[in-house]
Amino acid sequence: IYTRCLDIKRHNLKHCRPDDDMIGVQIYVVAAVLKQFCQRSRGDTVQNCKSISTMTHYRLFVVDDNPEIGELIQEIAEPLDMESVVITNSNDFKSQWMDNKPDLLVLDMVMPDMDGFDLIQWLAQTTCDVPIILISGREEMYARAASKLGKTKGLCIPHVLSKPFSVVEMETALCDALGIPSHETAREVKTATG
């Protein structure tokens, strides 16, 4: 069952189908239960479970020429079980992309060495199947136009955020893009159920 859930999860991430969010939530719950089981197991079972318990980790690339923004997003992502890599220029991004694709990408639209539009074109040429969250300090229309361009080229761009963004906005966007419950959602569910 667990292997099948992971296959479904990978499929959802690959195609970024928002109508399958419930499956993503179910997979997240199954992974969390298995992780707790593995942490309680002893002996040989622990060895078998170590790879399972780390499968809920996500790899996030944050591409922004402002390292402070990158660090902020990294701090938001860490409690969500996301390993973040902050990249401050497009050449390093392209190199790291080729070496190890992430599960999610946060991309600043305005970079000194390459425009966000150019990076979106490049990602489309690489047949990117990773959800992309666009952020921009420029007018929101600029990022929305880039989002529209990316979507016409087959990219999955579920969110566009304007700088400055709130912690809750970024957390919600990160979780929604991966189909996992955010801390806000968990708090709302807990409050609603007592």
Side-chain angles (χ1 to χ4, degrees), residues 63 65 88-93 110-115 118-119:
V63 184
D65 58 312
T88 57
N89 68 68
S90 61
N91 290 330
D92 287 348
F93 165 66
V110 181
M111 302 278 286
D113 56 340
M114 185 178 243
D115 189 79
D118 295 331
L119 280 176

Side-chain angles (χ1 to χ4, degrees), residues 134-168:
L134 297 179
I135 58 175
S136 178
R138 284 192 181 176
E139 289 184 29
E140 191 173 337
M141 288 178 53
Y142 180 75
R144 295 247 177 245
S147 173
K148 190 172 185 177
L149 169 70
K151 288 177 181 178
T152 61
K153 298 210 173 265
L155 298 177
C156 174
I157 305 175
H159 292 276
V160 177
L161 300 178
S162 297
K163 294 179 187 175
F165 49 80
S166 73
V167 170
V168 172

Side-chain angles (χ1 to χ4, degrees), residues 9-21 129-132 155-158 176-178:
K9 182 177 178 186
R10 284 190 195 107
H11 177 74
N12 287 342
L13 290 177
K14 220 176 226 186
H15 299 288
C16 194
R17 294 169 37 193
D19 55 326
D20 289 341
D21 283 347
D129 58 359
V130 171
I132 303 166
L155 298 177
C156 174
I157 305 175
D176 182 59
L178 290 172

Side-chain angles (χ1 to χ4, degrees), residues 2 31 34-35 38 47-56:
Y2 186 72
L34 284 172
K35 186 174 181 179
C38 292
Q47 293 302 321
N48 294 337
C49 290
K50 281 186 181 173
S51 61
I52 293 172
S53 66
T54 59
M55 289 178 140
T56 59

Side-chain angles (χ1 to χ4, degrees), residues 8-191:
I8 292 168
K9 182 177 178 186
R10 284 190 195 107
H11 177 74
N12 287 342
L13 290 177
K14 220 176 226 186
H15 299 288
C16 194
R17 294 169 37 193
D19 55 326
D20 289 341
D21 283 347
M22 195 58 199
I23 292 172
V25 170
Q26 291 168 345
I27 292 166
Y28 182 80
V29 170
V30 169
V33 168
L34 284 172
K35 186 174 181 179
Q36 287 178 350
F37 169 77
C38 292
Q39 290 170 345
R40 292 182 186 142
S41 298
R42 299 181 191 276
D44 188 38
T45 310
V46 172
Q47 293 302 321
N48 294 337
C49 290
K50 281 186 181 173
S51 61
I52 293 172
S53 66
T54 59
M55 289 178 140
T56 59
H57 295 279
Y58 298 96
R59 185 169 173 84
L60 167 67
F61 279 5
V62 180
V63 184
D64 195 313
D65 58 312
N66 182 343
E68 291 176 0
I69 298 288
E71 289 170 13
L72 172 64
I73 296 170
Q74 198 170 31
E75 288 177 25
I76 295 168
E78 186 178 342
L80 302 171
D81 212 15
M82 295 181 195
E83 172 194 347
S84 303
V85 177
V86 177
I87 306 166
T88 57
N89 68 68
S90 61
N91 290 330
D92 287 348
F93 165 66
K94 287 179 178 181
S95 173
Q96 290 198 39
W97 179 269
M98 293 305 200
D99 292 340
N100 193 6
K101 287 184 184 175
D103 299 303
L104 177 61
L105 172 63
V106 176
L107 176 63
D108 183 19
M109 288 304 303
V110 181
M111 302 278 286
D113 56 340
M114 185 178 243
D115 189 79
F117 280 96
D118 295 331
L119 280 176
I120 285 175
Q121 297 268 22
W122 182 82
L123 285 165
Q125 290 171 354
T126 67
T127 60
C128 169
D129 58 359
V130 171
I132 303 166
I133 298 171
L134 297 179
I135 58 175
S136 178
R138 284 192 181 176
E139 289 184 29
E140 191 173 337
M141 288 178 53
Y142 180 75
R144 295 247 177 245
S147 173
K148 190 172 185 177
L149 169 70
K151 288 177 181 178
T152 61
K153 298 210 173 265
L155 298 177
C156 174
I157 305 175
H159 292 276
V160 177
L161 300 178
S162 297
K163 294 179 187 175
F165 49 80
S166 73
V167 170
V168 172
E169 283 176 313
M170 180 55 73
E171 178 183 307
T172 302
L174 292 171
C175 292
D176 182 59
L178 290 172
I180 61 174
S182 69
H183 289 270
E184 278 300 309
T185 304
R187 282 191 287 269
E188 288 171 14
V189 168
K190 187 176 181 182
T191 304

